[in-house]
Amino acid sequence: MEAKKTVRIVIFLILAAVAIFGLILFFNNHLESKGKIIQPAAETADTDGNRQSYAAASMPAFAEDDFSSGSSGGLTIFVYEDYSDIFSADFAASLEKARLDFGDQLKIVYRPFNVGRTNLSLEAAVAVRCAADQGKGEAFRDRVFQAVRANQLNSDKISNLAVETELNGDDFKACLTNLEKKERIERLLDEASDFSVYGAPTVFVGDEMIVGARPYDSFTDSNGDEIEGLKQVIENKLK
């Protein structure tokens, strides 16, 4: 009896293992068919989820109504950022260093991402785009991130920032309540998953995807591995 019981247990375990393996294959194939599988880039050894690089499975494309800075003939960098999130606010400093160091060699495209699906993040994203419509998107964005770093961002602060940035108040208020503008932002948020963007900041430098707030300068991680900073990644793409 004990022998038969043991055999039944072994058979059950084998069947369970086969079923689990089958499920893994199914979900992997499903994700692959959706273009969601991303392969780690060969030059990245870090296993920290906040500092990973990947060969992007699919790339965002520039649209005429994108909010961007820099030269149209330069290396295009897409950054998905949350305008109410401290990690995106901190990473903005690295992007600014890149903009100053590389100048017209870069074109930086700013895309919104709502990490926690909060109303404040959406409100700030719309406000940034409205400021960009008045040609002051970069200045307003900088002030938004300054407020985030100071833990002062709220609806009233967004209105105050519009005054500080010397935006046309009437146009700004009308833009904030413009349904078409809000729907455009929401479409960008929904489309982010098409490029395997599931958090912010997420950056595309050429065909390389960087997940998390990568420091500007190269560094050594806790495992002793040398990790390329954002500056080095850009320099490699410009070669």
Side-chain angles (χ1 to χ4, degrees):
M1 289 293 293
E2 287 298 326
K4 290 183 178 180
K5 184 177 181 181
T6 300
V7 170
R8 285 198 297 270
I9 292 174
V10 171
I11 293 174
F12 173 78
L13 292 175
I14 292 173
L15 291 175
V18 170
I20 293 171
F21 181 72
L23 286 172
I24 292 173
L25 287 178
F26 171 78
F27 284 113
N28 187 65
N29 290 335
H30 176 69
L31 290 174
E32 197 168 31
S33 68
K34 294 286 187 180
K36 299 291 194 255
I37 297 300
I38 48 182
Q39 300 298 329
E43 66 271 20
T44 299
D46 192 17
T47 57
D48 183 343
N50 290 325
R51 292 195 288 265
Q52 291 180 333
S53 297
Y54 302 93
S58 58
M59 295 288 299
F62 180 74
E64 288 300 322
D65 61 347
D66 265 324
F67 166 37
S68 64
S69 65
S71 172
S72 59
L75 172 68
T76 300
I77 296 177
F78 289 88
V79 54
Y80 284 84
E81 51 190 11
D82 186 327
Y83 297 109
S84 66
D85 182 74
I86 186 61
F87 295 108
S88 291
D90 288 342
F91 184 69
S94 292
L95 282 178
E96 179 61 14
K97 288 181 181 179
R99 191 182 66 81
L100 293 175
D101 285 350
F102 295 98
D104 289 342
Q105 296 181 81
L106 300 181
K107 181 181 184 66
I108 303 176
V109 182
Y110 307 98
R111 293 274 180 89
F113 190 84
N114 194 337
V115 173
R117 292 287 177 176
T118 65
N119 290 331
L120 180 60
S121 178
L122 178 59
E123 181 181 353
V126 173
V128 168
R129 187 57 62 93
C130 289
D133 287 350
Q134 295 190 33
K136 297 184 178 181
E138 292 176 75
F140 187 84
R141 171 182 170 273
D142 288 344
R143 284 182 166 85
V144 167
F145 279 143
Q146 288 173 18
V148 172
R149 287 191 286 269
N151 196 28
Q152 295 177 345
L153 189 68
N154 53 46
S155 296
D156 290 338
K157 184 65 174 179
I158 290 174
S159 298
N160 293 337
L161 294 179
V163 176
E164 294 175 16
T165 316
E166 298 182 343
L167 299 179
N168 181 298
D170 292 337
D171 290 346
F172 184 71
K173 289 178 182 177
C175 182
L176 289 180
T177 57
N178 185 295
L179 290 179
E180 183 178 341
K181 183 70 64 177
K182 183 178 179 181
E183 289 172 356
R184 169 59 176 157
I185 296 298
E186 290 176 337
R187 281 199 302 271
L188 288 173
L189 295 174
D190 291 337
E191 290 170 1
S193 62
D194 294 341
F195 313 112
S196 300
V197 177
Y198 301 110
T202 296
V203 189
F204 294 86
V205 182
D207 61 352
E208 184 168 343
M209 176 181 175
I210 299 174
V211 178
R214 177 73 63 92
Y216 188 63
D217 296 312
S218 299
F219 62 98
T220 302
D221 70 2
S222 58
N223 296 321
D225 296 319
E226 294 294 327
I227 306 300
E228 291 181 343
L230 179 64
K231 180 181 180 181
Q232 185 62 55
V233 173
I234 293 172
E235 288 177 343
N236 292 341
K237 298 300 180 183
L238 290 173
K239 289 180 181 178

Coordinates of all heavy atoms in Angstrom, one line a residue, residues 138-168:
E138 N 9.5 73.7 -20.7 CA 10.7 73.3 -20.0 C 10.8 74.1 -18.6 O 11.1 73.5 -17.6 CB 11.9 73.6 -20.8 CG 12.0 72.7 -22.0 CD 13.2 73.0 -22.9 OE1 14.4 72.7 -22.5 OE2 13.0 73.6 -24.0
A139 N 10.5 75.4 -18.7 CA 10.6 76.2 -17.4 C 9.5 75.8 -16.4 O 9.8 75.6 -15.2 CB 10.4 77.7 -17.8
F140 N 8.3 75.5 -16.9 CA 7.2 75.0 -16.0 C 7.5 73.6 -15.5 O 7.3 73.4 -14.3 CB 5.9 75.0 -16.8 CG 4.7 74.7 -15.9 CD1 4.1 75.8 -15.2 CD2 4.2 73.5 -15.8 CE1 3.0 75.5 -14.4 CE2 3.1 73.2 -15.0 CZ 2.5 74.3 -14.3
R141 N 8.0 72.8 -16.3 CA 8.4 71.4 -15.9 C 9.4 71.5 -14.8 O 9.4 70.7 -13.8 CB 8.9 70.6 -17.1 CG 9.5 69.2 -16.8 CD 10.0 68.6 -18.1 NE 10.8 67.4 -17.8 CZ 12.1 67.4 -17.6 NH1 12.7 68.6 -17.6 NH2 12.7 66.3 -17.3
D142 N 10.4 72.3 -15.0 CA 11.5 72.4 -14.0 C 10.9 72.9 -12.6 O 11.3 72.3 -11.6 CB 12.5 73.5 -14.4 CG 13.4 73.0 -15.5 OD1 13.4 71.7 -15.8 OD2 14.1 73.8 -16.2
R143 N 10.0 73.8 -12.7 CA 9.3 74.3 -11.4 C 8.5 73.2 -10.8 O 8.4 73.1 -9.5 CB 8.5 75.5 -11.7 CG 9.4 76.8 -11.9 CD 8.5 78.0 -12.1 NE 9.3 79.3 -12.0 CZ 10.0 79.8 -12.9 NH1 10.0 79.3 -14.1 NH2 10.7 80.9 -12.7
V144 N 7.8 72.4 -11.6 CA 7.0 71.3 -11.1 C 7.9 70.3 -10.3 O 7.6 69.9 -9.2 CB 6.2 70.6 -12.2 CG1 5.7 69.3 -11.7 CG2 5.1 71.5 -12.7
F145 N 9.0 70.0 -10.9 CA 9.9 69.0 -10.3 C 10.6 69.6 -9.0 O 10.8 68.9 -8.0 CB 10.9 68.5 -11.2 CG 10.4 67.4 -12.1 CD1 10.8 67.3 -13.5 CD2 9.5 66.4 -11.6 CE1 10.3 66.3 -14.3 CE2 9.0 65.4 -12.5 CZ 9.5 65.4 -13.8
Q146 N 10.8 70.9 -9.0 CA 11.3 71.6 -7.8 C 10.3 71.4 -6.7 O 10.7 71.2 -5.5 CB 11.6 73.0 -8.1 CG 12.8 73.3 -9.0 CD 13.0 74.7 -9.4 OE1 12.4 75.6 -8.8 NE2 13.8 75.0 -10.4
A147 N 9.0 71.6 -7.0 CA 8.0 71.5 -6.0 C 7.9 70.1 -5.5 O 7.6 69.8 -4.3 CB 6.6 72.0 -6.6
V148 N 8.0 69.1 -6.4 CA 8.0 67.7 -6.0 C 9.1 67.4 -5.0 O 8.9 66.7 -4.0 CB 8.1 66.8 -7.2 CG1 8.3 65.3 -6.8 CG2 6.8 66.9 -8.1
R149 N 10.3 67.9 -5.3 CA 11.5 67.6 -4.5 C 11.3 68.3 -3.1 O 11.8 67.8 -2.1 CB 12.8 68.1 -5.1 CG 13.2 67.2 -6.3 CD 14.6 67.6 -6.7 NE 14.6 68.8 -7.5 CZ 14.5 68.9 -8.8 NH1 14.4 67.8 -9.5 NH2 14.5 70.1 -9.4
A150 N 10.6 69.4 -3.1 CA 10.3 70.0 -1.8 C 9.0 69.5 -1.1 O 8.6 70.1 -0.1 CB 10.2 71.6 -2.0
N151 N 8.4 68.5 -1.7 CA 7.1 67.9 -1.2 C 6.1 69.0 -1.1 O 5.3 69.1 -0.1 CB 7.4 67.3 0.1 CG 6.2 66.3 0.5 OD1 5.5 65.8 -0.3 ND2 6.0 66.1 1.8
Q152 N 5.9 69.9 -2.1 CA 5.0 71.0 -2.1 C 4.0 71.0 -3.2 O 3.2 71.9 -3.3 CB 5.8 72.3 -2.1 CG 6.6 72.6 -0.9 CD 7.4 73.9 -1.0 OE1 7.5 74.4 -2.1 NE2 8.0 74.3 0.1
L153 N 4.0 69.9 -4.1 CA 3.2 69.9 -5.2 C 1.7 69.6 -4.9 O 1.5 68.6 -4.2 CB 3.7 68.9 -6.3 CG 2.9 69.0 -7.6 CD1 3.3 70.3 -8.3 CD2 3.3 67.8 -8.5
N154 N 0.8 70.5 -5.3 CA -0.6 70.2 -5.1 C -1.3 71.1 -6.2 O -0.7 71.8 -6.9 CB -1.1 70.6 -3.7 CG -0.7 71.9 -3.2 OD1 -0.9 72.9 -4.0 ND2 -0.2 72.0 -2.0
S155 N -2.6 71.1 -6.2 CA -3.4 71.8 -7.2 C -3.1 73.3 -7.1 O -2.9 74.0 -8.1 CB -4.9 71.5 -7.1 OG -5.1 70.2 -7.4
D156 N -3.1 73.9 -5.9 CA -2.9 75.3 -5.7 C -1.5 75.7 -6.2 O -1.2 76.7 -6.8 CB -3.1 75.7 -4.3 CG -4.5 75.6 -3.8 OD1 -5.4 75.7 -4.7 OD2 -4.8 75.5 -2.6
K157 N -0.5 74.8 -5.9 CA 0.9 75.1 -6.3 C 1.0 75.1 -7.8 O 1.8 75.9 -8.4 CB 1.8 74.0 -5.7 CG 3.3 74.2 -6.0 CD 3.8 75.5 -5.3 CE 5.3 75.6 -5.4 NZ 5.8 76.9 -4.8
I158 N 0.3 74.2 -8.5 CA 0.3 74.2 -10.0 C -0.1 75.5 -10.5 O 0.5 76.1 -11.5 CB -0.5 73.0 -10.5 CG1 0.2 71.7 -10.2 CG2 -0.7 73.2 -12.0 CD1 -0.6 70.5 -10.6
S159 N -1.2 76.1 -9.9 CA -1.7 77.4 -10.4 C -0.7 78.5 -10.1 O -0.4 79.4 -10.9 CB -3.0 77.7 -9.6 OG -4.0 76.8 -10.0
N160 N 0.0 78.4 -8.9 CA 1.0 79.4 -8.6 C 2.2 79.3 -9.5 O 2.8 80.4 -9.9 CB 1.5 79.2 -7.1 CG 0.4 79.5 -6.1 OD1 -0.5 80.3 -6.4 ND2 0.5 78.9 -4.9
L161 N 2.6 78.1 -9.9 CA 3.7 77.9 -10.8 C 3.4 78.6 -12.2 O 4.3 79.0 -12.9 CB 4.0 76.4 -11.0 CG 4.5 75.7 -9.8 CD1 4.8 74.2 -10.1 CD2 5.8 76.4 -9.3
A162 N 2.1 78.5 -12.6 CA 1.8 79.2 -13.9 C 2.0 80.7 -13.8 O 2.5 81.3 -14.8 CB 0.3 78.9 -14.2
V163 N 1.8 81.3 -12.7 CA 2.0 82.7 -12.5 C 3.5 82.9 -12.5 O 4.0 83.9 -13.1 CB 1.4 83.2 -11.2 CG1 1.8 84.7 -10.9 CG2 -0.1 83.0 -11.2
E164 N 4.3 82.1 -11.8 CA 5.8 82.3 -11.7 C 6.4 82.1 -13.1 O 7.4 82.8 -13.3 CB 6.3 81.2 -10.7 CG 5.9 81.4 -9.3 CD 6.5 80.3 -8.4 OE1 7.4 79.5 -8.8 OE2 6.0 80.1 -7.3
T165 N 5.8 81.3 -13.9 CA 6.4 81.0 -15.2 C 5.9 82.1 -16.2 O 6.2 82.1 -17.4 CB 6.0 79.6 -15.7 OG1 6.2 78.7 -14.7 CG2 6.9 79.2 -16.9
E166 N 5.0 83.0 -15.8 CA 4.5 84.0 -16.6 C 3.7 83.5 -17.8 O 3.8 84.0 -18.9 CB 5.6 85.0 -17.0 CG 6.3 85.7 -15.9 CD 7.4 86.6 -16.3 OE1 7.8 86.5 -17.5 OE2 7.8 87.5 -15.5
L167 N 2.9 82.5 -17.5 CA 2.0 82.0 -18.5 C 0.8 82.9 -18.6 O 0.4 83.6 -17.7 CB 1.5 80.6 -18.2 CG 2.6 79.5 -18.0 CD1 1.9 78.2 -17.6 CD2 3.3 79.3 -19.3
N168 N 0.1 82.9 -19.8 CA -1.1 83.6 -20.0 C -2.2 82.9 -19.1 O -2.5 81.7 -19.4 CB -1.5 83.6 -21.4 CG -2.8 84.4 -21.7 OD1 -3.9 84.0 -21.2 ND2 -2.7 85.5 -22.5

